[in-house]
Amino acid sequence: MREILSGNIARYRKDQHLTQEALAEQLGITFQAVSKWETGQTVPDTVLLPKLAHALGVSVDKLLGYTAFGDDASYYEDDYKKDEYYWGVQPSRMCLKVLELIPPTRPLKVIDIGCGEGKDAVFFAKCGYDVTAFDISEAGLDKTKRLADKARVNVRAFRANIWDYRLEENYDILFSSGALHYIKPKLRDEIMQNYKSHVNQNGLVAFHVFVKKPFITAAPEKENHSHEWKSGQLFTYFHDWYIEDCMEYVFDCNSSGIPHQHAANRLFAKNKK
């Protein structure tokens, strides 16, 4: 919690174009106190949280980093409320590659970043992994839990916005298929460094991102909060890791009932440090 809160205070202060001194003046405290919050040495008193959140232009919940905000960010909420699974219940092919590279021959912790309706998270749990998952969609999380109950496995699923949530504990596997394009470009460096710093030694990241290509027309979904990556950009974040597999490809998609294509980069990298 302390790490998330300190990072959010610094991030939202800068978003508001406030110096530490200016924020401190609004709150009636010293700028040294603000500095200690942002470095994680101390945390604000609870009575100050509403005033602090107001000064930073966010809610207290958003400042703490646990809930999702903005209807536009939950693009699939209505689709996820339907009985059928929008993305189906079969795991992605990436899951099979994870099984090959780091099989659960011992207890291994996985986090599914942007789990949607939970098909991949539940698959990992069925295979014997210790699974945590988060998504912005409440309806998606409900379906994740129902799918896990049906399979008689446990998935610790919670709601969080990928913009705000930061990892605080280490995992053996970080998995994300089709969610990282929701990270704002200005936050990518910080978030990817946070992710890298919370992978155990010999642990794995398995990431899939959409990339922009001039010969691929825009997808039919008009997602205001999505940002395609540049080709090869994902790979650069893991230049100092062992790259097990990386590729770029174009695939057909029929989401929204409209045939179209996506270009994507896929990466599997191990932390050998």
Side-chain angles (χ1 to χ4, degrees):
M1 169 63 74
R2 177 172 293 199
E3 180 181 341
I4 293 172
L5 180 57
S6 64
N8 283 347
I9 292 171
R11 181 162 51 255
Y12 297 134
R13 174 180 61 78
K14 293 172 185 176
D15 285 347
Q16 294 293 317
H17 305 290
L18 291 171
T19 63
Q20 290 182 342
E21 290 82 0
L23 177 59
E25 184 177 351
Q26 288 191 39
L27 300 176
I29 58 176
T30 65
F31 79 89
Q32 291 94 337
V34 175
S35 178
K36 288 181 179 180
W37 293 345
E38 294 186 359
T39 56
Q41 297 178 56
T42 61
V43 295
D45 192 284
T46 54
V47 299
L48 266 181
L49 286 178
K51 191 174 181 179
L52 173 60
H54 178 74
L56 299 177
V58 298
S59 69
V60 172
D61 284 339
K62 188 170 185 179
L63 184 62
L64 296 175
Y66 283 117
T67 55
F69 297 89
D71 292 338
D72 291 337
S74 302
Y75 181 86
Y76 294 102
E77 187 73 18
D78 289 339
D79 291 306
Y80 289 170
K81 288 178 180 178
K82 299 174 182 177
D83 290 337
E84 66 271 16
Y85 277 70
Y86 187 83
W87 305 111
V89 295
Q90 296 301 314
S92 72
R93 294 180 181 178
M94 288 180 62
C95 295
L96 302 179
K97 186 69 174 180
V98 170
L99 275 173
E100 174 190 335
L101 293 174
I102 184 167
T105 54
R106 58 183 176 85
L108 293 173
K109 293 173 59 178
V110 180
I111 185 164
D112 187 348
I113 299 167
C115 65
E117 299 166 295
K119 62 184 180 64
D120 295 331
V122 172
F123 172 80
F124 284 129
K126 288 168 66 176
C127 290
Y129 296 96
D130 179 359
V131 183
T132 300
F134 73 85
D135 199 271
I136 195 170
S137 169
E138 194 69 61
L141 294 171
D142 287 342
K143 292 173 88 170
T144 296
K145 294 170 184 176
R146 292 203 302 269
L147 194 62
D149 288 343
K150 184 177 181 180
R152 297 183 179 180
V153 296
N154 181 52
V155 173
R156 289 182 297 279
F158 63 94
R159 191 182 185 199
N161 190 330
I162 199 170
W163 301 344
D164 301 323
Y165 186 73
R166 302 295 182 270
L167 301 183
E168 290 190 292
E169 59 181 287
N170 283 12
Y171 295 88
D172 299 292
I173 301 166
L174 269 56
F175 180 90
S176 184
S177 178
L180 298 180
H181 60 291
Y182 294 115
I183 298 175
K184 297 177 182 179
K186 68 179 182 179
L187 297 178
R188 281 179 185 161
D189 288 353
E190 177 204 343
I191 290 177
M192 296 307 289
Q193 289 306 315
N194 170 258
Y195 289 173
K196 287 182 68 176
S197 67
H198 288 86
V199 179
N200 289 328
Q201 186 174 19
N202 295 316
L204 178 77
V205 297
F207 288 164
H208 160 284
V209 301
F210 296 110
V211 296
K212 189 173 182 61
K213 293 290 185 179
F215 51 84
I216 300 293
T217 57
E221 297 93 352
K222 305 301 181 184
E223 301 180 59
N224 295 337
H225 292 294
S226 66
H227 309 274
E228 291 177 311
W229 291 56
K230 292 180 180 178
S231 180
Q233 183 182 8
L234 175 65
F235 308 150
T236 64
Y237 285 108
F238 296 90
H239 67 90
D240 53 343
W241 284 27
Y242 181 78
I243 306 299
E244 290 279 2
D245 184 81
C246 63
M247 66 179 297
E248 180 169 286
Y249 57 103
V250 174
F251 65 96
D252 297 321
C253 185
N254 196 44
S255 61
S256 299
I258 303 173
H260 56 281
Q261 290 186 316
H262 293 285
N265 285 174
R266 188 176 68 194
L267 170 76
F268 297 89
K270 280 188 177 179
N271 178 16
K272 292 290 189 180
K273 293 183 178 181

